[in-house]
């Protein structure tokens, strides 16, 4: 067996025969680390091999391939089913990343315990069996078909898999696994690449779905080489703020469904609770009318929801006015303030402006521009906007209210939550039928028209 060492970029996984100061692939400095690798591993020594009927793959014409809809495994978690595109696909390899302590292990331990008729193997490389048992007791869930293995060697894991023949495998986490065919330490680029390739071969040949829980780097990307995300079928990002109870499961890549779906959870003492109506938790139930608050009808992926936009405009004490935002793009706020200055004649240049998206979420939908603008005007004039009014529209540089997509879904969500009026762009009237809604739809075309109707 030929053993040699190579240098790997810890940022992108680029391999080099010698040390280099700057990575030629990702242009990062001082990221190369030497790792011992083992080359020329015989095929018979690979970790997972099954006998194939014909021994090889034959060339076929595309028209001869039958397009059969995959039978998906439905979990009791409706949010997870939605994010995966309708359920778990047999033989799929799913990678899940997120901040430490955000709830990745809790989410998949909870789902595995709820699958009563599915034999599940949970492989833990980071926690002992006692720690996993303590978490399961806290979740208050039991399952006779749930099996636990605390192991990091892939050969031992596959030996146990052949004995148990599970229908679902969860690996926590991929960074702790190590293959005996690679000399480097667990978590290194070559180890992550090799162990993920072994899990991929197992999933495709046995048609058993595998979930890989992964770490992330300080900039939020999944740790390890970029090829890891290319190898798997689905990449999920579990995100949220440690100071808030709400978590969002977002799809980054999905070969079996849309990447526009997301699931919302609430972290409780007994695990993660599915949030079927996120609009109710993102809008504060206030009794008194307060200035500077506007409700926006937004879309997160394919899912409509209403969020609360809070603005505070005060006289600037210092020479340079402050612009502080939470959950919104600062440059977008500056653009809206410039529109109000130029097209509306409001003097925001001598005002401090603070903007917050309630609930701890980050909104990037341009359709919330109109709600942000109205919240700013409400705080500027110190006049409250009525509770039963919401907004959906993009603001252009010339002060016009531009049309947004999926306007009917936004209106339907506002109507379902009991809103009486919704301000939309008049240009949305061309492709939508507003007469079928009971809510009053108010089409507007310019910023000054919105101001005259509200204040």
């Amino acid at each position: 067996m030929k053993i040699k060492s190579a240098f790997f970029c810890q940022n992108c996984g680029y391999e080099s025969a010698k040390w280099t100061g700057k990575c030629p692939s990702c242009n990062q400095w001082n990221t190369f680390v030497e790792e011992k690798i083992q080359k020329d591993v015989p095929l018979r020594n690979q970790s997972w091999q099954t006998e194939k009927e014909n021994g090889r793959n034959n060339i076929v014409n595309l028209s001869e391939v039958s397009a059969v809809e995959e039978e998906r495994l439905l979990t009791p978690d409706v949010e997870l089913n939605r994010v995966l595109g309708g359920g778990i696909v047999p033989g799929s390899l799913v990678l899940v990343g997120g901040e430490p302590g955000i709830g990745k292990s809790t989410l998949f331990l909870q789902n595995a315990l709820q699958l009563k008729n599915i034999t599940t193997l949970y492989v833990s490389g980071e926690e002992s069996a006692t720690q996993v048992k303590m978490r399961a007791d806290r979740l208050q869930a039991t399952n006779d078909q749930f099996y636990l293995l605390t192991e990091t060697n892939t050969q031992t894991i596959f030996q146990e898999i052949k004995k148990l023949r599970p229908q679902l495998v969860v690996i926590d986490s991929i960074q702790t696994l190590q293959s005996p065919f690679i000399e480097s330490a667990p978590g290194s680029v070559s180890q992550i690449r090799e162990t993920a390739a072994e899990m991929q071969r197992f999933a495709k040949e046995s048609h058993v779905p595998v979930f890989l829980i992964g770490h992330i780097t300080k900039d939020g990307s999944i740790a390890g080489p970029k090829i890891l995300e290319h190898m798997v079928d689905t990449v999920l990002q579990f995100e949220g703020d440690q100071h808030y109870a709400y978590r969002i499961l977002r799809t980054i890549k999905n070969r079996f469904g849309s990447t526009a779906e997301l699931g919302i959870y609430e972290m409780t003492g007994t695990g993660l609770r599915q949030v079927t109506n996120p609009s109710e938790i993102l809008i504060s139930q206030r009794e008194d009318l307060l200035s500077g608050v506007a409700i926006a009808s937004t879309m997160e992926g394919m899912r409509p929801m209403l969020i609360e936009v809070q603005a505070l405009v005060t006289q600037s004490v210092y020479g340079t006015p402050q612009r502080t935002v939470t959950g919104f793009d600062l440059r977008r706020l500056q653009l809206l303030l410039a529109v109000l200055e130029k097209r509306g004649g409001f003097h925001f240049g001598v005002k401090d402006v603070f903007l917050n998206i309630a609930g701890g979420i980050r909104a990037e939908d341009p359709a919330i521009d109109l709600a942000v603008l109205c919240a700013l005007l409400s705080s500027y004039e110190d006049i409250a906007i009525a509770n039963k009014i919401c907004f959906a529209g993009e603001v252009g540089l010339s002060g016009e209210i531009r049309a947004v997509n999926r306007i009917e879904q936004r209106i339907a969500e506002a109507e379902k939550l009991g809103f009486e009026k919704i301000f939309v762009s008049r240009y949305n009237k061309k492709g939508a039928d507003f007469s079928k809604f009971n809510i009053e739809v108010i089409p507007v075309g310019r910023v000054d028209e919105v101001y005259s109707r509200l204040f």
Side-chain angles (χ1 to χ4, degrees), residues 28-46:
Q28 296 294 315
W29 288 89
N30 299 323
T31 56
F32 277 93
V33 175
E34 183 179 13
E35 296 179 10
K36 292 183 179 179
I37 59 175
Q38 193 167 341
K39 295 287 186 181
D40 305 327
V41 179
L43 187 61
R44 58 184 173 83
N45 289 336
Q46 294 296 327

Side-chain angles (χ1 to χ4, degrees), residues 71-84:
E71 291 187 5
R72 295 175 182 258
L73 172 64
L74 292 178
T75 70
D77 191 337
V78 179
E79 300 292 310
L80 181 61
N81 292 337
R82 178 193 292 113
V83 170
L84 292 176

Side-chain angles (χ1 to χ4, degrees), residues 376-394:
L376 292 170
L377 291 175
S378 173
S379 181
Y380 184 92
E381 298 288 354
D382 201 15
I383 301 175
I385 299 173
N387 279 337
K388 300 299 182 179
I389 298 178
C390 63
F391 306 88
E394 181 182 356

Side-chain angles (χ1 to χ4, degrees), residues 256-274:
F256 306 110
S258 171
T259 58
E261 296 289 353
L262 60 85
I264 299 180
Y265 298 88
E266 181 184 6
M267 179 65 79
T268 65
T270 56
L272 290 158
R273 183 183 69 85
Q274 304 170 43

Side-chain angles (χ1 to χ4, degrees), residues 16 35 99 156 170 176 189 233 298 308 317 326 336 432 446 448:
S16 173
E35 296 179 10
E99 292 277 351
T156 307
V170 180
T176 61
V189 170
D233 298 311
T298 182
E308 182 176 307
V317 179
T326 303
L336 294 175
R446 292 185 56 81
D448 51 0

Side-chain angles (χ1 to χ4, degrees), residues 212-277:
L212 305 177
I213 298 176
H215 300 166
I216 64 170
T217 59
K218 61 182 180 180
D219 60 350
S221 59
I222 295 176
K226 198 67 178 177
I227 193 174
L228 177 61
E229 298 179 45
H230 292 286
M231 291 169 62
V232 300
D233 298 311
T234 306
V235 180
L236 305 179
Q237 187 82 12
F238 201 42
E239 57 192 41
D241 195 328
Q242 295 279 10
H243 303 290
Y244 290 90
Y246 306 113
R247 306 284 188 266
I248 294 178
L249 185 63
R250 198 184 301 273
T251 313
I252 299 177
K253 169 190 175 183
N254 193 358
R255 289 175 178 162
F256 306 110
S258 171
T259 58
E261 296 289 353
L262 60 85
I264 299 180
Y265 298 88
E266 181 184 6
M267 179 65 79
T268 65
T270 56
L272 290 158
R273 183 183 69 85
Q274 304 170 43
V275 178
T276 55
N277 190 2

Side-chain angles (χ1 to χ4, degrees), residues 82 264 275-283 295-300 302-307 388-392 406-422 436-439 441:
R82 178 193 292 113
I264 299 180
V275 178
T276 55
N277 190 2
S279 300
E280 293 182 354
I281 64 173
L282 296 174
I283 300 175
I295 306 299
S297 182
T298 182
M299 297 287 296
E300 279 287 349
M302 306 289 289
R303 193 174 187 179
M305 64 177 68
L306 299 186
I307 60 175
K388 300 299 182 179
I389 298 178
C390 63
F391 306 88
R406 303 186 183 276
I407 189 63
E408 294 189 1
Q409 287 180 257
R410 301 173 192 266
I411 297 174
E413 179 72 10
E415 182 181 353
K416 185 176 73 174
L417 290 178
F419 282 81
E420 298 172 356
K421 298 179 181 179
I422 180 170
K436 61 183 179 181
F437 298 106
N438 295 324
I439 185 174
V441 180

Side-chain angles (χ1 to χ4, degrees), residues 416-446:
K416 185 176 73 174
L417 290 178
F419 282 81
E420 298 172 356
K421 298 179 181 179
I422 180 170
F423 282 75
V424 301
S425 170
R426 67 160 57 117
Y427 305 108
N428 271 120
K429 295 177 66 177
K430 297 179 181 178
D433 181 18
F434 296 154
S435 61
K436 61 183 179 181
F437 298 106
N438 295 324
I439 185 174
E440 182 184 354
V441 180
I442 303 175
V444 289
R446 292 185 56 81

